[in-house]
PDB file of all heavy atoms in Angstrom:
ATOM      1  N   THR A 371       8.796  -6.092  -2.709  1.00  0.00           N
ATOM      2  CA  THR A 371       8.560  -5.340  -3.931  1.00  0.00           C
ATOM      3  C   THR A 371       8.946  -3.899  -3.677  1.00  0.00           C
ATOM      4  O   THR A 371       8.740  -3.368  -2.572  1.00  0.00           O
ATOM      5  CB  THR A 371       7.133  -5.433  -4.426  1.00  0.00           C
ATOM      6  OG1 THR A 371       6.257  -4.789  -3.469  1.00  0.00           O
ATOM      7  CG2 THR A 371       6.688  -6.872  -4.642  1.00  0.00           C
ATOM      8  N   PHE A 372       9.462  -3.248  -4.693  1.00  0.00           N
ATOM      9  CA  PHE A 372       9.790  -1.836  -4.628  1.00  0.00           C
ATOM     10  C   PHE A 372       9.251  -1.180  -5.878  1.00  0.00           C
ATOM     11  O   PHE A 372       9.539  -1.642  -6.977  1.00  0.00           O
ATOM     12  CB  PHE A 372      11.286  -1.623  -4.489  1.00  0.00           C
ATOM     13  CG  PHE A 372      11.672  -0.160  -4.313  1.00  0.00           C
ATOM     14  CD1 PHE A 372      11.517   0.480  -3.107  1.00  0.00           C
ATOM     15  CD2 PHE A 372      12.157   0.573  -5.393  1.00  0.00           C
ATOM     16  CE1 PHE A 372      11.837   1.807  -2.922  1.00  0.00           C
ATOM     17  CE2 PHE A 372      12.484   1.893  -5.243  1.00  0.00           C
ATOM     18  CZ  PHE A 372      12.335   2.532  -4.008  1.00  0.00           C
ATOM     19  N   SER A 373       8.482  -0.121  -5.708  1.00  0.00           N
ATOM     20  CA  SER A 373       7.928   0.581  -6.852  1.00  0.00           C
ATOM     21  C   SER A 373       8.021   2.104  -6.652  1.00  0.00           C
ATOM     22  O   SER A 373       8.016   2.571  -5.533  1.00  0.00           O
ATOM     23  CB  SER A 373       6.442   0.187  -7.057  1.00  0.00           C
ATOM     24  OG  SER A 373       5.667   0.417  -5.923  1.00  0.00           O
ATOM     25  N   VAL A 374       8.141   2.788  -7.761  1.00  0.00           N
ATOM     26  CA  VAL A 374       8.252   4.237  -7.754  1.00  0.00           C
ATOM     27  C   VAL A 374       7.158   4.787  -8.676  1.00  0.00           C
ATOM     28  O   VAL A 374       6.947   4.284  -9.773  1.00  0.00           O
ATOM     29  CB  VAL A 374       9.656   4.706  -8.244  1.00  0.00           C
ATOM     30  CG1 VAL A 374       9.774   6.207  -8.183  1.00  0.00           C
ATOM     31  CG2 VAL A 374      10.742   4.059  -7.430  1.00  0.00           C
ATOM     32  N   TRP A 375       6.485   5.810  -8.141  1.00  0.00           N
ATOM     33  CA  TRP A 375       5.304   6.358  -8.801  1.00  0.00           C
ATOM     34  C   TRP A 375       5.459   7.834  -9.091  1.00  0.00           C
ATOM     35  O   TRP A 375       6.105   8.558  -8.339  1.00  0.00           O
ATOM     36  CB  TRP A 375       4.066   6.117  -7.909  1.00  0.00           C
ATOM     37  CG  TRP A 375       3.839   4.673  -7.608  1.00  0.00           C
ATOM     38  CD1 TRP A 375       4.515   3.900  -6.680  1.00  0.00           C
ATOM     39  CD2 TRP A 375       2.923   3.769  -8.263  1.00  0.00           C
ATOM     40  NE1 TRP A 375       4.051   2.618  -6.712  1.00  0.00           N
ATOM     41  CE2 TRP A 375       3.091   2.489  -7.664  1.00  0.00           C
ATOM     42  CE3 TRP A 375       1.962   3.947  -9.287  1.00  0.00           C
ATOM     43  CZ2 TRP A 375       2.319   1.398  -8.066  1.00  0.00           C
ATOM     44  CZ3 TRP A 375       1.222   2.851  -9.664  1.00  0.00           C
ATOM     45  CH2 TRP A 375       1.410   1.596  -9.076  1.00  0.00           C
ATOM     46  N   LYS A 376       4.794   8.258 -10.139  1.00  0.00           N
ATOM     47  CA  LYS A 376       4.832   9.672 -10.534  1.00  0.00           C
ATOM     48  C   LYS A 376       4.307  10.578  -9.447  1.00  0.00           C
ATOM     49  O   LYS A 376       4.807  11.681  -9.240  1.00  0.00           O
ATOM     50  CB  LYS A 376       4.009   9.880 -11.818  1.00  0.00           C
ATOM     51  CG  LYS A 376       3.980  11.285 -12.345  1.00  0.00           C
ATOM     52  CD  LYS A 376       3.155  11.371 -13.608  1.00  0.00           C
ATOM     53  CE  LYS A 376       3.085  12.812 -14.133  1.00  0.00           C
ATOM     54  NZ  LYS A 376       2.267  12.883 -15.365  1.00  0.00           N
ATOM     55  N   SER A 377       3.310  10.089  -8.702  1.00  0.00           N
ATOM     56  CA  SER A 377       2.703  10.907  -7.639  1.00  0.00           C
ATOM     57  C   SER A 377       2.018   9.973  -6.628  1.00  0.00           C
ATOM     58  O   SER A 377       1.758   8.802  -6.923  1.00  0.00           O
ATOM     59  CB  SER A 377       1.661  11.884  -8.216  1.00  0.00           C
ATOM     60  OG  SER A 377       0.604  11.149  -8.813  1.00  0.00           O
ATOM     61  N   ALA A 378       1.693  10.542  -5.481  1.00  0.00           N
ATOM     62  CA  ALA A 378       0.950   9.785  -4.462  1.00  0.00           C
ATOM     63  C   ALA A 378      -0.436   9.408  -5.031  1.00  0.00           C
ATOM     64  O   ALA A 378      -0.955   8.325  -4.723  1.00  0.00           O
ATOM     65  CB  ALA A 378       0.824  10.615  -3.198  1.00  0.00           C
ATOM     66  N   ALA A 379      -1.040  10.289  -5.820  1.00  0.00           N
ATOM     67  CA  ALA A 379      -2.378  10.013  -6.339  1.00  0.00           C
ATOM     68  C   ALA A 379      -2.362   8.793  -7.264  1.00  0.00           C
ATOM     69  O   ALA A 379      -3.264   7.953  -7.198  1.00  0.00           O
ATOM     70  CB  ALA A 379      -2.878  11.230  -7.096  1.00  0.00           C
ATOM     71  N   SER A 380      -1.360   8.661  -8.094  1.00  0.00           N
ATOM     72  CA  SER A 380      -1.285   7.496  -9.029  1.00  0.00           C
ATOM     73  C   SER A 380      -1.052   6.230  -8.216  1.00  0.00           C
ATOM     74  O   SER A 380      -1.619   5.163  -8.555  1.00  0.00           O
ATOM     75  CB  SER A 380      -0.215   7.711 -10.073  1.00  0.00           C
ATOM     76  OG  SER A 380       1.058   7.878  -9.487  1.00  0.00           O
ATOM     77  N   MET A 381      -0.217   6.279  -7.193  1.00  0.00           N
ATOM     78  CA  MET A 381       0.018   5.115  -6.342  1.00  0.00           C
ATOM     79  C   MET A 381      -1.262   4.694  -5.641  1.00  0.00           C
ATOM     80  O   MET A 381      -1.621   3.497  -5.566  1.00  0.00           O
ATOM     81  CB  MET A 381       1.110   5.417  -5.345  1.00  0.00           C
ATOM     82  CG  MET A 381       1.462   4.267  -4.416  1.00  0.00           C
ATOM     83  SD  MET A 381       0.412   4.128  -2.953  1.00  0.00           S
ATOM     84  CE  MET A 381       0.733   5.691  -2.181  1.00  0.00           C
ATOM     85  N   GLN A 382      -2.008   5.646  -5.092  1.00  0.00           N
ATOM     86  CA  GLN A 382      -3.231   5.321  -4.372  1.00  0.00           C
ATOM     87  C   GLN A 382      -4.316   4.772  -5.303  1.00  0.00           C
ATOM     88  O   GLN A 382      -5.121   3.939  -4.926  1.00  0.00           O
ATOM     89  CB  GLN A 382      -3.737   6.574  -3.640  1.00  0.00           C
ATOM     90  CG  GLN A 382      -2.813   6.945  -2.476  1.00  0.00           C
ATOM     91  CD  GLN A 382      -3.125   8.317  -1.907  1.00  0.00           C
ATOM     92  OE1 GLN A 382      -3.830   9.123  -2.544  1.00  0.00           O
ATOM     93  NE2 GLN A 382      -2.584   8.609  -0.769  1.00  0.00           N
ATOM     94  N   GLN A 383      -4.313   5.259  -6.553  1.00  0.00           N
ATOM     95  CA  GLN A 383      -5.277   4.753  -7.539  1.00  0.00           C
ATOM     96  C   GLN A 383      -5.074   3.269  -7.715  1.00  0.00           C
ATOM     97  O   GLN A 383      -6.033   2.453  -7.753  1.00  0.00           O
ATOM     98  CB  GLN A 383      -5.105   5.470  -8.877  1.00  0.00           C
ATOM     99  CG  GLN A 383      -5.895   4.922 -10.038  1.00  0.00           C
ATOM    100  CD  GLN A 383      -7.380   5.264  -9.928  1.00  0.00           C
ATOM    101  OE1 GLN A 383      -7.765   6.193  -9.244  1.00  0.00           O
ATOM    102  NE2 GLN A 383      -8.204   4.493 -10.621  1.00  0.00           N
ATOM    103  N   TYR A 384      -3.820   2.830  -7.816  1.00  0.00           N
ATOM    104  CA  TYR A 384      -3.517   1.400  -7.988  1.00  0.00           C
ATOM    105  C   TYR A 384      -3.774   0.628  -6.698  1.00  0.00           C
ATOM    106  O   TYR A 384      -4.426  -0.407  -6.685  1.00  0.00           O
ATOM    107  CB  TYR A 384      -2.059   1.210  -8.398  1.00  0.00           C
ATOM    108  CG  TYR A 384      -1.611  -0.195  -8.329  1.00  0.00           C
ATOM    109  CD1 TYR A 384      -1.947  -1.120  -9.337  1.00  0.00           C
ATOM    110  CD2 TYR A 384      -0.879  -0.698  -7.230  1.00  0.00           C
ATOM    111  CE1 TYR A 384      -1.545  -2.430  -9.290  1.00  0.00           C
ATOM    112  CE2 TYR A 384      -0.484  -2.026  -7.167  1.00  0.00           C
ATOM    113  CZ  TYR A 384      -0.823  -2.889  -8.199  1.00  0.00           C
ATOM    114  OH  TYR A 384      -0.472  -4.185  -8.109  1.00  0.00           O
ATOM    115  N   ALA A 385      -3.277   1.163  -5.575  1.00  0.00           N
ATOM    116  CA  ALA A 385      -3.353   0.425  -4.304  1.00  0.00           C
ATOM    117  C   ALA A 385      -4.754   0.191  -3.803  1.00  0.00           C
ATOM    118  O   ALA A 385      -5.061  -0.864  -3.320  1.00  0.00           O
ATOM    119  CB  ALA A 385      -2.520   1.138  -3.255  1.00  0.00           C
ATOM    120  N   TYR A 386      -5.604   1.208  -3.977  1.00  0.00           N
ATOM    121  CA  TYR A 386      -6.914   1.125  -3.327  1.00  0.00           C
ATOM    122  C   TYR A 386      -8.054   0.871  -4.291  1.00  0.00           C
ATOM    123  O   TYR A 386      -9.156   0.547  -3.859  1.00  0.00           O
ATOM    124  CB  TYR A 386      -7.183   2.469  -2.563  1.00  0.00           C
ATOM    125  CG  TYR A 386      -6.161   2.719  -1.517  1.00  0.00           C
ATOM    126  CD1 TYR A 386      -5.362   3.858  -1.521  1.00  0.00           C
ATOM    127  CD2 TYR A 386      -5.908   1.784  -0.500  1.00  0.00           C
ATOM    128  CE1 TYR A 386      -4.413   4.093  -0.523  1.00  0.00           C
ATOM    129  CE2 TYR A 386      -4.947   1.989   0.481  1.00  0.00           C
ATOM    130  CZ  TYR A 386      -4.189   3.153   0.447  1.00  0.00           C
ATOM    131  OH  TYR A 386      -3.242   3.378   1.391  1.00  0.00           O
ATOM    132  N   ARG A 387      -7.757   0.982  -5.591  1.00  0.00           N
ATOM    133  CA  ARG A 387      -8.846   0.747  -6.571  1.00  0.00           C
ATOM    134  C   ARG A 387      -8.534  -0.402  -7.531  1.00  0.00           C
ATOM    135  O   ARG A 387      -9.436  -0.838  -8.232  1.00  0.00           O
ATOM    136  CB  ARG A 387      -9.131   2.036  -7.351  1.00  0.00           C
ATOM    137  CG  ARG A 387      -9.560   3.188  -6.470  1.00  0.00           C
ATOM    138  CD  ARG A 387      -9.907   4.413  -7.285  1.00  0.00           C
ATOM    139  NE  ARG A 387     -10.204   5.564  -6.390  1.00  0.00           N
ATOM    140  CZ  ARG A 387     -10.485   6.782  -6.840  1.00  0.00           C
ATOM    141  NH1 ARG A 387     -10.509   7.022  -8.144  1.00  0.00           N
ATOM    142  NH2 ARG A 387     -10.732   7.766  -6.013  1.00  0.00           N
ATOM    143  N   GLY A 388      -7.292  -0.817  -7.578  1.00  0.00           N
ATOM    144  CA  GLY A 388      -6.935  -1.914  -8.507  1.00  0.00           C
ATOM    145  C   GLY A 388      -7.478  -3.226  -7.996  1.00  0.00           C
ATOM    146  O   GLY A 388      -7.178  -3.669  -6.889  1.00  0.00           O
ATOM    147  N   ALA A 389      -8.264  -3.894  -8.801  1.00  0.00           N
ATOM    148  CA  ALA A 389      -8.957  -5.135  -8.380  1.00  0.00           C
ATOM    149  C   ALA A 389      -7.949  -6.219  -8.021  1.00  0.00           C
ATOM    150  O   ALA A 389      -8.099  -6.951  -7.040  1.00  0.00           O
ATOM    151  CB  ALA A 389      -9.902  -5.603  -9.455  1.00  0.00           C
ATOM    152  N   ALA A 390      -6.920  -6.392  -8.859  1.00  0.00           N
ATOM    153  CA  ALA A 390      -5.942  -7.476  -8.639  1.00  0.00           C
ATOM    154  C   ALA A 390      -5.197  -7.267  -7.313  1.00  0.00           C
ATOM    155  O   ALA A 390      -5.028  -8.199  -6.510  1.00  0.00           O
ATOM    156  CB  ALA A 390      -4.935  -7.557  -9.802  1.00  0.00           C
ATOM    157  N   HIS A 391      -4.767  -6.049  -7.066  1.00  0.00           N
ATOM    158  CA  HIS A 391      -4.029  -5.767  -5.831  1.00  0.00           C
ATOM    159  C   HIS A 391      -4.916  -5.924  -4.615  1.00  0.00           C
ATOM    160  O   HIS A 391      -4.504  -6.534  -3.617  1.00  0.00           O
ATOM    161  CB  HIS A 391      -3.454  -4.326  -5.930  1.00  0.00           C
ATOM    162  CG  HIS A 391      -2.603  -3.970  -4.766  1.00  0.00           C
ATOM    163  ND1 HIS A 391      -3.104  -3.249  -3.687  1.00  0.00           N
ATOM    164  CD2 HIS A 391      -1.327  -4.240  -4.460  1.00  0.00           C
ATOM    165  CE1 HIS A 391      -2.144  -3.073  -2.813  1.00  0.00           C
ATOM    166  NE2 HIS A 391      -1.052  -3.652  -3.229  1.00  0.00           N
ATOM    167  N   LYS A 392      -6.112  -5.385  -4.654  1.00  0.00           N
ATOM    168  CA  LYS A 392      -7.018  -5.486  -3.542  1.00  0.00           C
ATOM    169  C   LYS A 392      -7.340  -6.955  -3.230  1.00  0.00           C
ATOM    170  O   LYS A 392      -7.425  -7.358  -2.051  1.00  0.00           O
ATOM    171  CB  LYS A 392      -8.296  -4.716  -3.813  1.00  0.00           C
ATOM    172  CG  LYS A 392      -8.129  -3.203  -3.771  1.00  0.00           C
ATOM    173  CD  LYS A 392      -9.388  -2.484  -4.142  1.00  0.00           C
ATOM    174  CE  LYS A 392     -10.508  -2.785  -3.161  1.00  0.00           C
ATOM    175  NZ  LYS A 392     -11.746  -2.022  -3.495  1.00  0.00           N
ATOM    176  N   GLY A 393      -7.484  -7.768  -4.267  1.00  0.00           N
ATOM    177  CA  GLY A 393      -7.815  -9.155  -4.075  1.00  0.00           C
ATOM    178  C   GLY A 393      -6.705  -9.905  -3.371  1.00  0.00           C
ATOM    179  O   GLY A 393      -6.960 -10.720  -2.472  1.00  0.00           O
ATOM    180  N   VAL A 394      -5.451  -9.631  -3.746  1.00  0.00           N
ATOM    181  CA  VAL A 394      -4.324 -10.301  -3.112  1.00  0.00           C
ATOM    182  C   VAL A 394      -4.187  -9.870  -1.644  1.00  0.00           C
ATOM    183  O   VAL A 394      -3.919 -10.693  -0.777  1.00  0.00           O
ATOM    184  CB  VAL A 394      -3.024 -10.018  -3.909  1.00  0.00           C
ATOM    185  CG1 VAL A 394      -1.800 -10.480  -3.110  1.00  0.00           C
ATOM    186  CG2 VAL A 394      -3.064 -10.721  -5.249  1.00  0.00           C
ATOM    187  N   ILE A 395      -4.377  -8.584  -1.386  1.00  0.00           N
ATOM    188  CA  ILE A 395      -4.270  -8.093  -0.023  1.00  0.00           C
ATOM    189  C   ILE A 395      -5.315  -8.778   0.860  1.00  0.00           C
ATOM    190  O   ILE A 395      -5.029  -9.200   1.991  1.00  0.00           O
ATOM    191  CB  ILE A 395      -4.468  -6.558   0.015  1.00  0.00           C
ATOM    192  CG1 ILE A 395      -3.303  -5.875  -0.681  1.00  0.00           C
ATOM    193  CG2 ILE A 395      -4.596  -6.065   1.482  1.00  0.00           C
ATOM    194  CD1 ILE A 395      -1.962  -6.151  -0.057  1.00  0.00           C
ATOM    195  N   GLN A 396      -6.533  -8.926   0.352  1.00  0.00           N
ATOM    196  CA  GLN A 396      -7.551  -9.619   1.120  1.00  0.00           C
ATOM    197  C   GLN A 396      -7.194 -11.077   1.418  1.00  0.00           C
ATOM    198  O   GLN A 396      -7.384 -11.553   2.545  1.00  0.00           O
ATOM    199  CB  GLN A 396      -8.883  -9.545   0.370  1.00  0.00           C
ATOM    200  CG  GLN A 396      -9.494  -8.171   0.318  1.00  0.00           C
ATOM    201  CD  GLN A 396     -10.718  -8.109  -0.563  1.00  0.00           C
ATOM    202  OE1 GLN A 396     -11.041  -9.062  -1.288  1.00  0.00           O
ATOM    203  NE2 GLN A 396     -11.395  -6.946  -0.571  1.00  0.00           N
ATOM    204  N   ARG A 397      -6.598 -11.739   0.415  1.00  0.00           N
ATOM    205  CA  ARG A 397      -6.206 -13.126   0.613  1.00  0.00           C
ATOM    206  C   ARG A 397      -5.078 -13.251   1.638  1.00  0.00           C
ATOM    207  O   ARG A 397      -5.062 -14.198   2.431  1.00  0.00           O
ATOM    208  CB  ARG A 397      -5.805 -13.736  -0.723  1.00  0.00           C
ATOM    209  CG  ARG A 397      -6.930 -13.992  -1.678  1.00  0.00           C
ATOM    210  CD  ARG A 397      -6.477 -14.829  -2.844  1.00  0.00           C
ATOM    211  NE  ARG A 397      -6.033 -16.150  -2.429  1.00  0.00           N
ATOM    212  CZ  ARG A 397      -5.315 -16.960  -3.204  1.00  0.00           C
ATOM    213  NH1 ARG A 397      -4.939 -16.567  -4.414  1.00  0.00           N
ATOM    214  NH2 ARG A 397      -4.974 -18.157  -2.762  1.00  0.00           N
ATOM    215  N   THR A 398      -4.125 -12.325   1.626  1.00  0.00           N
ATOM    216  CA  THR A 398      -3.031 -12.426   2.570  1.00  0.00           C
ATOM    217  C   THR A 398      -3.571 -12.342   4.009  1.00  0.00           C
ATOM    218  O   THR A 398      -3.028 -13.030   4.915  1.00  0.00           O
ATOM    219  CB  THR A 398      -1.982 -11.280   2.356  1.00  0.00           C
ATOM    220  OG1 THR A 398      -2.594 -10.028   2.608  1.00  0.00           O
ATOM    221  CG2 THR A 398      -1.399 -11.345   0.971  1.00  0.00           C
ATOM    222  N   ARG A 399      -4.580 -11.523   4.226  1.00  0.00           N
ATOM    223  CA  ARG A 399      -5.167 -11.418   5.560  1.00  0.00           C
ATOM    224  C   ARG A 399      -5.981 -12.670   5.910  1.00  0.00           C
ATOM    225  O   ARG A 399      -5.861 -13.232   6.990  1.00  0.00           O
ATOM    226  CB  ARG A 399      -6.044 -10.178   5.639  1.00  0.00           C
ATOM    227  CG  ARG A 399      -5.330  -8.860   5.341  1.00  0.00           C
ATOM    228  CD  ARG A 399      -4.346  -8.521   6.455  1.00  0.00           C
ATOM    229  NE  ARG A 399      -3.692  -7.243   6.157  1.00  0.00           N
ATOM    230  CZ  ARG A 399      -2.495  -7.105   5.580  1.00  0.00           C
ATOM    231  NH1 ARG A 399      -1.830  -8.210   5.225  1.00  0.00           N
ATOM    232  NH2 ARG A 399      -1.964  -5.942   5.375  1.00  0.00           N
ATOM    233  N   GLN A 400      -6.843 -13.088   4.998  1.00  0.00           N
ATOM    234  CA  GLN A 400      -7.733 -14.200   5.263  1.00  0.00           C
ATOM    235  C   GLN A 400      -6.994 -15.518   5.439  1.00  0.00           C
ATOM    236  O   GLN A 400      -7.312 -16.315   6.307  1.00  0.00           O
ATOM    237  CB  GLN A 400      -8.755 -14.313   4.144  1.00  0.00           C
ATOM    238  CG  GLN A 400      -9.729 -13.129   4.063  1.00  0.00           C
ATOM    239  CD  GLN A 400     -10.547 -13.153   2.779  1.00  0.00           C
ATOM    240  OE1 GLN A 400     -10.338 -13.991   1.915  1.00  0.00           O
ATOM    241  NE2 GLN A 400     -11.470 -12.204   2.658  1.00  0.00           N
ATOM    242  N   GLU A 401      -5.963 -15.724   4.590  1.00  0.00           N
ATOM    243  CA  GLU A 401      -5.238 -17.008   4.586  1.00  0.00           C
ATOM    244  C   GLU A 401      -3.941 -16.958   5.383  1.00  0.00           C
ATOM    245  O   GLU A 401      -3.265 -17.992   5.497  1.00  0.00           O
ATOM    246  CB  GLU A 401      -5.000 -17.426   3.124  1.00  0.00           C
ATOM    247  CG  GLU A 401      -6.293 -17.565   2.315  1.00  0.00           C
ATOM    248  CD  GLU A 401      -6.008 -17.891   0.868  1.00  0.00           C
ATOM    249  OE1 GLU A 401      -4.948 -18.477   0.576  1.00  0.00           O
ATOM    250  OE2 GLU A 401      -6.871 -17.549   0.027  1.00  0.00           O
ATOM    251  N   GLN A 402      -3.594 -15.767   5.910  1.00  0.00           N
ATOM    252  CA  GLN A 402      -2.439 -15.624   6.764  1.00  0.00           C
ATOM    253  C   GLN A 402      -1.160 -16.229   6.129  1.00  0.00           C
ATOM    254  O   GLN A 402      -0.537 -17.141   6.642  1.00  0.00           O
ATOM    255  CB  GLN A 402      -2.684 -16.263   8.126  1.00  0.00           C
ATOM    256  CG  GLN A 402      -3.858 -15.655   8.871  1.00  0.00           C
ATOM    257  CD  GLN A 402      -4.078 -16.229  10.217  1.00  0.00           C
ATOM    258  OE1 GLN A 402      -3.645 -17.355  10.533  1.00  0.00           O
ATOM    259  NE2 GLN A 402      -4.786 -15.545  11.090  1.00  0.00           N
ATOM    260  N   TRP A 403      -0.781 -15.618   5.010  1.00  0.00           N
ATOM    261  CA  TRP A 403       0.391 -16.089   4.254  1.00  0.00           C
ATOM    262  C   TRP A 403       1.706 -15.776   4.952  1.00  0.00           C
ATOM    263  O   TRP A 403       2.685 -16.474   4.745  1.00  0.00           O
ATOM    264  CB  TRP A 403       0.414 -15.445   2.871  1.00  0.00           C
ATOM    265  CG  TRP A 403      -0.687 -15.918   1.949  1.00  0.00           C
ATOM    266  CD1 TRP A 403      -1.600 -16.920   2.148  1.00  0.00           C
ATOM    267  CD2 TRP A 403      -0.958 -15.394   0.644  1.00  0.00           C
ATOM    268  NE1 TRP A 403      -2.415 -17.063   1.073  1.00  0.00           N
ATOM    269  CE2 TRP A 403      -2.053 -16.155   0.112  1.00  0.00           C
ATOM    270  CE3 TRP A 403      -0.410 -14.393  -0.134  1.00  0.00           C
ATOM    271  CZ2 TRP A 403      -2.575 -15.906  -1.131  1.00  0.00           C
ATOM    272  CZ3 TRP A 403      -0.923 -14.150  -1.401  1.00  0.00           C
ATOM    273  CH2 TRP A 403      -2.008 -14.894  -1.892  1.00  0.00           C
ATOM    274  N   TYR A 404       1.763 -14.687   5.733  1.00  0.00           N
ATOM    275  CA  TYR A 404       3.039 -14.162   6.206  1.00  0.00           C
ATOM    276  C   TYR A 404       3.240 -14.394   7.714  1.00  0.00           C
ATOM    277  O   TYR A 404       2.308 -14.291   8.509  1.00  0.00           O
ATOM    278  CB  TYR A 404       3.135 -12.654   5.934  1.00  0.00           C
ATOM    279  CG  TYR A 404       2.855 -12.254   4.518  1.00  0.00           C
ATOM    280  CD1 TYR A 404       2.173 -11.074   4.222  1.00  0.00           C
ATOM    281  CD2 TYR A 404       3.234 -13.069   3.427  1.00  0.00           C
ATOM    282  CE1 TYR A 404       1.916 -10.670   2.933  1.00  0.00           C
ATOM    283  CE2 TYR A 404       2.984 -12.664   2.117  1.00  0.00           C
ATOM    284  CZ  TYR A 404       2.307 -11.487   1.889  1.00  0.00           C
ATOM    285  OH  TYR A 404       2.036 -11.102   0.591  1.00  0.00           O
TER     286      TYR A 404
END
């Protein structure tokens, strides 16, 4: 995936506070998808 953001703050808001994104990251670690 490639994404471009208005600022580092907006990117961090999504990456670290977005429920959907955080949930997927946790699953990738727990279930070892990669």
Side-chain angles (χ1 to χ4, degrees):
T371 64
F372 183 78
S373 57
V374 183
W375 301 79
K376 180 180 179 180
S377 65
S380 59
M381 181 276 297
Q382 291 168 346
Q383 173 74 21
Y384 169 79
Y386 301 121
R387 299 182 186 178
H391 184 262
K392 287 176 64 177
V394 169
I395 294 299
Q396 290 173 352
R397 289 190 63 195
T398 64
R399 301 291 181 264
Q400 294 169 356
E401 301 176 26
Q402 299 182 341
W403 290 354
Y404 308 144

